[in-house]
Amino acid sequence: MSARATRRGFAARPGDAESWIKASEAAASRSNEPPAFTARLTIDITPELRGRIKVAAFRRGVTVADMLRDLLAREFPTDPGESS
């Protein structure tokens, strides 16, 4: 029988203590940010349109998600009379 390869578990600590400590600091700095978006929107688009959207986002130096959030926020502004 062959020996079972040792695999790192999902929540196992890394072998290098320095990288483990630095990863903890990075996670702590993100916790100061406001809560992220709470809903996911799925739409069906053609592969060609998806490609054009990705290229446009790349040229603008933003992610597709950020670009589309801005677009939707412009098209559907918050109505002062609406409750969130």
Side-chain angles (χ1 to χ4, degrees), residues 1 14 59:
M1 298 203 119
R59 287 182 177 158

Side-chain angles (χ1 to χ4, degrees), residues 1-6:
M1 298 203 119
S2 62
R4 188 173 205 178
T6 56

Side-chain angles (χ1 to χ4, degrees), residues 2-84:
S2 62
R4 188 173 205 178
T6 56
R7 291 181 19 187
R8 193 167 158 185
F10 175 74
R13 295 179 184 172
D16 178 19
E18 285 297 320
S19 65
W20 184 55
I21 292 168
K22 289 178 185 175
S24 174
E25 291 171 356
S29 67
R30 280 188 244 123
S31 65
N32 295 338
E33 295 177 6
F37 305 96
T38 59
R40 183 173 301 267
L41 176 66
T42 303
I43 59 171
D44 294 325
I45 58 173
T46 64
E48 293 80 18
L49 178 56
R50 180 175 181 258
R52 291 195 312 264
I53 292 169
K54 289 176 78 171
V55 168
F58 179 77
R59 287 182 177 158
R60 295 175 189 183
V62 297
T63 64
V64 170
D66 287 339
M67 186 179 74
L68 293 177
R69 279 187 204 106
D70 291 343
L71 173 81
L72 291 170
R74 279 193 313 270
E75 288 297 317
F76 303 99
T78 304
D79 184 8
E82 286 184 11
S83 62
S84 300

